Amino acid sequence: MIPKIILGKGPHATRRTIGYLFGKGRANEHTDPHLVASWNRFAPDPGRSRHRNPKDVADQLATQLDQPVRMLGEKAPKFTVWHCPVRAAPEDPVLTDEQWADVARRIVAAAGIAPDGDEGACRWVAVRHADDHIHIAATLVRQDGRRPRRDYDQRAVQKEARRIEVDYGLRRLKPGDGTAAKRPTSKEHFKAKRRCQDATAREVLRLRVRRAVAAASSEAEFFALLEAMGVNTRPKTGPSGDVLGYSVALPGDVNKHGEPVWFSGSTLAGDLSLPKIRQRLTDTGTEPVAIRPGDPWHQATAAAERIPGHLTRGDDHVAQGQLVALGATLDLLPITAPSAAKAELQHAAAAFERATCSRITADRDSARVLRRSVQAIWRHPDTAGDGSGPAMLLDAALTAVAYAMHWHRKHHHAQQEAAAQQALIHLQTAYGPIAEPALGNLARRAPGQQIKHRYAHHLQQAVPEHAERIVEDRAWDALATVLADAEAQGHDAVKILGQALNQRSLDDARHPARALTWRIQRLGQRHVPGPQAQAAMARSTALQPTAPAAAAATVPSSQPSPARRR
């Protein structure tokens, strides 16, 4: 059940609200509008007064609601109308008028509009014009002339809605922490529907602004990217001429006067205000971290593979910074994705946006390498080559998102956990169309049977419990190809296979051959150490725990099973 508070102002605010509630709606969606509850239980009902003109009854109702406001005259508050739609989920049972009346009374009591037993409370009505929702309208002056105490009313009605869901057996929504982006209004939804658009202008703009933030390394580049994405921008300047903020609009999105509909960055999302964007650009600026020249897909994958470690080490500020960077990475993936996977990746990025926001301050410094690699891919998306780069990064992102879901669960971030889970589902769906072509390209270059037999022998010695599954996997030829490529680069097949196995256990991997393919392909790109370095590594390895023990130490028993989700 979703309550949403809207405030109205102006001399005719109450009459406008009543006119809307008992009217046909913006798309003729209002059917049988009528009162289900009111402050005095016998307020005039424009929807059920058959022997009177409905407009006259609506005037009478608005006058009665407005009486306490008019008594104050010029001392009346700026906002005089409190409007709260309360909507049930589509799968919820249809409530009766009496049940909706109880819901309304509980909502106005929780908000401080009309506490139980308070004879001098505000005047209010609840109007129903559909099976799944009601509208509560109240005037914000009590009958005794005082202002209602409605501190944190939005939070209070949300808590009461969670209790109502339990009492009536309705779908139980996840409690939030106040960091979610503002939802599109019903007016925006109707407008998108009239235009046969899948998303509202607010949602499209939020996606494009996030992509520009992810790709930009400076404020000037941020605005240039917005222009390149077809977004109109308008700076907000102060008396000194300094730019204090910005607004964005989509070409062709106009109001009834033919004027562009502008959204400020802060109304799209709290972290998209210009001061927040400037802070983010400063935190992840061009200095002092340097990234070696190389394949940005490999560098981004290496950074993404380190995210689970950051999420399990206990530094919450670093973990939050990693989640922000992971969200920017998901924003980029649709750019180079095949058409069959593009929509799912866009849905994943949109869902995971909620998982990047919490009350924990993000330390973005630790995520500079991932951000820099993402920016490099934005500038040169053609480096994806045979498609193995996006598949490799997506494989790492799947694991990172699974760990993000566990991290939010541990911190009792219910909405963020649900968002990460939803993103994971979309990523799993997108994985096949991205990974299968890349694996097929690799498999076509598979070495001969003698070489594959040697690799199978190495696997039998290293991981006997998984060797048979790996060899029988459809990705076995692709794995043999990347092992042969690594040997061609000077790597030892046994050693690089051991490194890949030590990165994470294969116990829960549904497709262990795929997991090893991407790990070895990335490891094979690394510089081959010289003899002295190899000797030092051998001495260091001798002092380390055995491979199974080390792998087990990286994933606590309470962690999710990320590989199972692939």
Side-chain angles (χ1 to χ4, degrees):
M1 181 167 285
I2 302 175
K4 180 180 180 181
I5 295 173
I6 307 165
L7 299 182
K9 63 181 179 179
H12 307 292
T14 304
R15 185 60 182 87
R16 282 199 310 270
T17 303
I18 294 301
Y20 168 73
L21 296 183
F22 286 94
K24 295 181 179 180
R26 295 186 176 92
N28 294 320
E29 73 275 15
H30 295 180
T31 59
D32 188 25
H34 60 279
L35 287 183
V36 295
S38 67
W39 79 96
N40 59 4
R41 299 180 185 270
F42 55 83
D45 185 352
R48 294 291 170 87
S49 300
R50 298 181 180 178
H51 303 295
R52 297 180 60 191
N53 187 326
K55 289 186 178 180
D56 293 339
V57 182
D59 289 339
Q60 181 185 4
L61 177 59
T63 299
Q64 291 187 14
L65 286 168
D66 255 346
Q67 186 177 7
V69 177
R70 296 185 183 280
M71 288 176 59
L72 291 185
E74 295 180 354
K75 295 182 179 180
K78 177 181 178 182
F79 292 97
T80 58
V81 173
W82 187 90
H83 177 196
C84 181
V86 185
R87 186 179 297 275
E91 65 269 25
D92 284 340
V94 176
L95 302 182
T96 65
D97 281 359
E98 291 73 19
Q99 289 173 322
W100 275 119
D102 178 58
V103 169
R105 283 189 285 269
R106 292 175 64 169
I107 291 293
V108 293
I113 295 295
D116 290 336
D118 188 345
E119 297 296 333
C122 297
R123 296 185 175 187
W124 61 273
V125 294
V127 181
R128 181 180 188 179
H129 46 52
D131 285 342
D132 63 347
H133 72 279
I134 60 172
H135 290 256
I136 304 171
T139 45
L140 290 174
V141 176
R142 291 167 49 89
Q143 296 180 80
D144 57 14
R146 295 183 291 127
R147 309 284 180 84
R149 298 185 62 178
R150 56 180 192 89
D151 298 337
Y152 307 107
D153 55 352
Q154 182 66 56
R155 188 179 305 174
V157 298
Q158 290 290 349
K159 287 183 178 179
E160 186 61 28
R162 303 293 82 76
R163 300 187 188 100
I164 292 170
E165 290 163 358
V166 174
D167 294 343
Y168 282 97
L170 307 178
R171 175 187 173 188
R172 300 178 64 177
L173 301 184
K174 305 293 184 182
D177 58 2
T179 60
K182 184 178 179 180
R183 297 171 180 266
T185 65
S186 43
K187 181 179 179 180
E188 292 169 14
H189 277 300
F190 286 131
K191 186 176 184 179
K193 186 177 180 180
R194 289 196 306 270
R195 295 183 166 198
C196 300
Q197 296 169 339
D198 295 331
T200 65
R202 181 189 301 273
E203 292 168 317
V204 173
L205 287 168
R206 185 160 58 224
L207 172 63
R208 294 185 185 180
V209 172
R210 286 204 179 279
R211 285 183 173 177
V213 174
S217 57
S218 67
E219 185 175 331
E221 187 177 9
F222 165 69
F223 285 111
L225 285 169
L226 284 179
E227 184 178 354
M229 293 178 186
V231 175
N232 296 331
T233 60
R234 182 177 66 181
K236 176 185 177 181
T237 57
S240 64
D242 295 334
V243 178
L244 304 178
Y246 72 100
S247 297
V248 289
L250 288 178
D253 183 33
V254 297
N255 59 22
K256 61 182 180 181
H257 304 296
E259 302 166 338
V261 179
W262 295 96
F263 295 85
S264 66
S266 59
T267 60
L268 294 178
D271 60 339
L272 294 182
S273 67
L274 189 57
K276 293 289 183 67
I277 290 175
R278 283 171 173 165
Q279 183 62 48
R280 183 166 170 177
L281 293 173
T282 301
D283 290 345
T284 55
T286 57
E287 70 288 339
V289 175
I291 299 179
R292 296 177 181 176
D295 189 327
W297 291 98
H298 286 258
Q299 293 166 342
T301 301
E305 286 176 342
R306 291 191 287 270
I307 291 177
H310 288 295
L311 296 178
T312 55
R313 288 187 190 122
D315 190 326
D316 288 342
H317 300 291
V318 170
Q320 182 63 43
Q322 293 290 320
L323 294 180
V324 173
L326 178 58
T329 304
L330 297 183
D331 286 335
L332 110 88
L333 284 175
I335 301 300
T336 57
S339 56
K342 194 178 294 290
E344 289 294 338
L345 290 177
Q346 289 175 341
H347 292 322
F352 195 75
E353 175 194 344
R354 182 69 188 97
T356 65
C357 301
S358 76
R359 292 288 181 184
I360 299 172
T361 304
D363 175 6
R364 299 186 179 91
D365 187 67
S366 64
R368 288 193 179 192
V369 173
L370 179 55
R371 178 171 168 79
R372 242 25 104 55
S373 303
V374 168
Q375 291 173 343
I377 294 172
W378 273 96
R379 291 175 176 83
H380 305 287
D382 54 343
T383 56
D386 60 1
S388 60
M392 186 169 48
L393 180 55
L394 178 55
D395 184 80
L398 275 163
T399 302
V401 170
Y403 273 78
M405 185 173 66
H406 174 82
W407 186 82
H408 282 305
R409 183 186 306 137
K410 184 177 70 173
H411 288 76
H412 307 289
H413 298 161
Q415 289 186 356
Q416 291 89 332
E417 178 192 348
Q421 184 176 27
Q422 190 63 38
L424 191 63
I425 293 171
H426 290 300
L427 291 176
Q428 289 171 329
T429 305
Y431 184 77
I434 291 178
E436 292 298 339
L439 291 169
N441 291 335
L442 291 171
R444 281 189 282 274
R445 299 191 293 107
Q449 288 297 327
Q450 185 176 358
I451 296 177
K452 288 198 292 185
H453 180 74
R454 175 164 59 87
Y455 294 155
H457 177 70
H458 295 330
L459 281 168
Q460 184 62 42
Q461 289 186 319
V463 279
E465 67 276 21
H466 298 297
E468 184 176 354
R469 287 180 61 209
I470 293 173
V471 173
E472 291 179 354
D473 195 297
R474 287 186 302 166
W476 165 238
D477 282 349
L479 174 57
T481 299
V482 296
L483 277 169
D485 290 345
E487 281 190 319
Q489 293 292 327
H491 291 277
D492 181 275
V494 175
K495 291 182 179 178
I496 201 169
L497 183 60
Q499 290 175 347
L501 291 169
N502 281 339
Q503 283 188 348
R504 186 163 292 115
S505 172
L506 295 176
D507 290 342
D508 295 316
R510 194 162 59 182
H511 299 288
R514 293 183 184 180
L516 284 177
T517 297
W518 308 129
R519 294 181 198 176
I520 291 172
Q521 187 177 48
R522 187 177 62 78
L523 291 169
Q525 294 278 328
R526 293 180 177 177
H527 175 69
V528 180
Q532 292 183 344
Q534 291 187 30
M537 291 170 59
R539 289 193 298 270
S540 176
T541 303
L543 299 176
Q544 297 289 330
T546 60
T554 61
V555 182
S557 59
S558 61
Q559 286 291 67
S561 302
R564 184 182 295 134
R565 297 175 170 84
R566 286 197 290 271

